[in-house]
Amino acid sequence: MTNNFSKTILDNLTTALVGLDSDLNIVYTNLAFEMLFDLSAKRALGISVQQLPLVEDRLMQLVKDVQSSGEPHTEWALELNLISGKRAIVDCSVTELEQEGKTQLIIELHQVDQHLKLANDEQRQEKVNSAKMLVRNLAHEIKNPLGGLRGAAQLLQREQTDPNLNEYTEIIVEEADRLSNLVNQLLGPNKPPEKRWINVHQVLERLVKLVTAEGLQKIDLVRDYDPSLPEVFVDHDQLFQACLNIVNNAIQAMGEKGTLTFRTRVCRNQVVASNTHALMVRLEISDTGSGIDPEIIDKIFLPMVTSRAQGTGLGLSISQALVDQQGGKIECKSRPGDTVFSILLPISSSQEGGDHAFQ
Ligand SMILES: Nc1ncnc2c1ncn2[C@@H]1O[C@H](COP(=O)(O)OP(=O)(O)O)[C@@H](O)[C@H]1O
Ligand SMILES: [Mg+2]
């Protein structure tokens, strides 16, 4: 094996590698290290590992333990604070090597936060799915007798001759209709999507028109579009409805004034319902409003979860069902002043969501 070939292999590992001499100075880094730490090999070589501003105490302790005992050691799920302000969770192994009479140490850092995030996402999704199933079953149970109730009230209306009693039967019919409307919303989209290739900017521009037509002068609208965005294969109206519910919430959360931002990007290697997509379109709707109440943030996609007195708690549950139908997914991040809903859509026409897109 040539040196070049070994270097190519080491640079293509997803594990970040750092080599240290006996004084704990960095003597080797691979490409994964440079990417994880956002630090070029040029700047890293020769400096002491302790000088890396991002190395946390547990990692240094691990290095010292291995140095004094000579035994290899691994720590799971170490949290690193990176220069970029981001955090990374890594499994970290430190091994001591003897080479030409000199002691060297190798640190391996394997980033695991993607896996942890996926596991959490899956758990959360399972909970949401079972709660949704419960609500759907309940809605079905209510729907049938409701039809009977309405029919019987109409019969009664025709049969009885006293006009004073009409008022009561009318109330029964009206309330049955109101309940039936609610139950239909709880049951979710009842039409299969009519998918075609569209540019998501068409959907966003329709939303822009609607927001501006409503005369919300104090809401600034920012468009941050990727003009080279590929088309997606979705139902235009269903995607529009999904976004509209999110935009309505954003406007309500901002109250008098704020900034509403529509951002589009391409993103790579995303997992949706166990399918990995090499490429997806990410459509973000963000607002500078109050932020989502932390008490309900894990539940906002469930039907009937609302913090508003007049709210039905159905908007986001409907949005999620509609986006699911397109083979995509919705994510949400929020802190006061910065709430972002992201809709990920597959760039593929396959019904399952396009696992073949993964090359
Ligand atoms: N952009 C947002 N900013 C703050 N809170 C939000 C935002 N979007 C949703 N929420 C929270 O999620 C809840 C559920 O939203 P939704 O399903 O649309 O129901 P509703 O609008 O009827 O309350 C809202 O009541 C609100 O508490
Ligand atoms: Mg809403």
Side-chain angles (χ1 to χ4, degrees), residues 55-69:
V55 171
E56 68 152 55
D57 292 348
R58 268 172 76 203
L59 179 58
M60 274 323 297
Q61 194 53 50
L62 182 64
V63 169
K64 285 181 180 156
D65 287 352
V66 173
Q67 204 179 26
S68 60
S69 69

Side-chain angles (χ1 to χ4, degrees), residues 245-254 285-287 289-293 296-297 299-319 332 334 339-341:
N245 295 353
I246 294 172
V247 168
N248 279 338
N249 286 344
I251 291 173
Q252 280 158 355
M254 287 189 289
I285 298 170
S286 46
D287 68 75
S290 53
I292 299 172
D293 178 353
I296 61 165
I297 191 155
K299 297 181 278 197
I300 47 166
F301 291 108
L302 287 176
M304 318 218 89
V305 171
T306 177
S307 63
R308 279 194 277 273
Q310 302 300 321
T312 58
L314 290 175
L316 290 178
S317 130
I318 291 172
S319 291
C332 156
S334 177
T339 299
V340 186
F341 280 86

